[in-house]
Amino acid sequence: MVGSARRWWQQADQFDWFSAYIRDRGLQTQWRIVTVAFAASLMAVPVVLIASPTGPDHPLTIAVSVLASLCGAASGSLWLIRWPTRRQSVLFTVGACAAIAATCLSQSDPYATLMGCTTFAIIGGFVAYFHTAGLVAAIFGTSVVCATVGMVRLIASTGDLALATSAFVIVLALNLGVPFGIYTLAHALRSDLRSSGHDPLTGLLNRGAFYQSAHELVMQHPGGRDVHLVVALIDLDDFKSLNDTQGHAVGDEALVGVGAALRESCLTTAVIGRIGGEEFVVAELGIAAAPAVMAEKIRKAVADIPFPITASIGTASAPLTGAGTADFDFVDRLVRTADAAMYDAKRAGGDRVSHRSELVLGDQVHQGPGR
């Protein structure tokens, strides 16, 4: 029980994965529109309530309401230009949460304060899709503090304990049920999609899952001039001949063996996929000299499996610096470059490694010993 709770609490955020998921389905524009609309509504409410008898009635609380409105406008503006980064999304969350809290606490009517706390469920639901359980819990805690202030004030002003308690329970139920329900559902969806994103024969990632996982690998690393994303495209030599002479069952066994060889020869953090019949791809983080080292290990591992096949391997790498690495086509560019390098190796006779730089397409061909 404690172990499960700890694993749940320590789960990584889903920002990069969910961003890629909705981008691949053409939904980012709709998400941005809805988010901007929510932020605009949040911006308008504190100003509108200034004119209400139940709204802020002191120069200080009026000033707080105006500041909350400006904070909501600043937070929403992050989504006007482009899809935000993880850090910008967190800033949006913090700004929106602060604006909601300030608006609720500045109301002169304590019942308005309590009912305003239901708004935390909306921003909490947004966070549940993209960020960690800790941030969801922080928003819930903020809602509890604000709702408690409203409940105490309502009891003090009306003496109606039943009304104050009922309103408090409604606020807690919404702020607990909506965000944590979405959080659980989003993580279950991610687990199911990851399971469906595997090649049934080798257990490696399929094409779509590979690109998504490789993009997450890039976005989760802080980057630096000495850190490169290295991509290797592996195509098996003479695989058709193996199928024709020994049958497809043996060919399938060979593919399973190649998958196992890739797992054993690559880093545990590497993203490995099967993207075609006898084509495989690997993405891992390394230094500038890593492509040749990684690819040679893969070439030897494939050559050592008990089947008469070798591999032509093309590699490409680029440093994780600059805004371009955050683009969704960054991995795709490297895969295309590695694919071109793989054909260089195949034209040179196979059982070779060829490297092309993503930035400077100079070729370097490294020949492995023949078998």
Side-chain angles (χ1 to χ4, degrees), residues 235-245 278 308-311 346 349 371:
D235 186 85
L236 303 182
D237 304 319
D238 302 320
F239 185 73
K240 184 178 184 301
S241 175
L242 176 66
N243 268 338
D244 292 342
T245 57
E278 62 266 22
I309 54 174
T310 56
K346 194 167 283 289
R371 296 202 302 169

Side-chain angles (χ1 to χ4, degrees), residues 61-256:
T61 54
I62 291 174
V64 168
S65 294
V66 173
L67 183 61
S69 179
L70 295 175
C71 185
S75 299
S77 66
L78 294 172
W79 296 79
L80 286 174
I81 302 174
R82 58 187 292 275
W83 189 261
T85 64
R86 177 191 286 104
R87 179 174 296 180
Q88 290 171 338
S89 179
V90 172
L91 287 175
F92 165 76
T93 299
V94 172
C97 188
I100 294 170
T103 301
C104 292
L105 296 177
S106 64
Q107 304 309 303
S108 58
D109 186 337
Y111 190 74
T113 295
L114 266 171
M115 290 299 96
C117 291
T118 59
T119 315
F120 283 107
I122 302 174
I123 191 66
F126 166 84
V127 171
Y129 279 113
F130 292 99
H131 297 294
T132 62
L135 191 54
V136 175
I139 294 172
F140 175 71
T142 305
S143 72
V144 170
V145 171
C146 293
T148 300
V149 172
M151 180 180 68
V152 171
R153 288 177 54 203
L154 184 59
I155 294 173
S157 62
T158 66
D160 194 338
L161 180 62
L163 175 63
T165 303
S166 299
F168 182 78
V169 169
I170 290 172
V171 169
L172 258 60
L174 282 172
N175 283 286
L176 183 64
V178 173
F180 285 97
I182 292 175
Y183 184 84
T184 302
L185 180 62
H187 273 271
L189 174 64
R190 183 181 187 181
S191 298
D192 290 346
L193 288 174
R194 280 189 164 180
S195 298
S196 65
H198 286 76
D199 171 50
L201 178 64
T202 63
L204 301 177
L205 299 174
N206 60 25
R207 179 183 292 270
F210 167 80
Y211 278 99
Q212 198 159 289
S213 297
H215 178 72
E216 287 187 53
L217 180 68
V218 171
M219 296 305 296
Q220 290 171 1
H221 196 279
R225 187 167 300 277
D226 295 331
V227 181
H228 286 59
L229 179 68
V230 181
V231 172
L233 202 294
I234 302 108
D235 186 85
L236 303 182
D237 304 319
D238 302 320
F239 185 73
K240 184 178 184 301
S241 175
L242 176 66
N243 268 338
D244 292 342
T245 57
Q246 300 190 37
H248 288 280
V250 174
D252 287 348
E253 291 179 16
L255 292 173
V256 172

Side-chain angles (χ1 to χ4, degrees), residues 269-291:
T269 55
V271 179
I272 309 172
R274 181 188 177 201
I275 59 174
E278 62 266 22
E279 281 193 341
F280 300 82
V281 64
V282 175
E284 66 179 40
L285 300 178
I287 59 176

Side-chain angles (χ1 to χ4, degrees), residues 12-87:
D13 76 6
Q14 305 188 121
F15 185 81
D16 296 320
W17 172 82
F18 201 73
S19 295
Y21 179 81
I22 62 178
R23 174 218 177 231
D24 291 343
R25 286 151 183 78
L27 297 174
Q28 279 196 352
T29 300
Q30 292 92 316
W31 270 83
R32 287 175 58 202
I33 290 172
V34 170
T35 304
V36 170
F38 165 71
S41 301
L42 185 69
M43 174 187 66
V45 168
V47 176
V48 171
L49 285 175
I50 293 175
S52 170
T54 64
D57 58 357
H58 187 276
L60 179 59
T61 54
I62 291 174
V64 168
S65 294
V66 173
L67 183 61
S69 179
L70 295 175
C71 185
S75 299
S77 66
L78 294 172
W79 296 79
L80 286 174
I81 302 174
R82 58 187 292 275
W83 189 261
T85 64
R86 177 191 286 104
R87 179 174 296 180

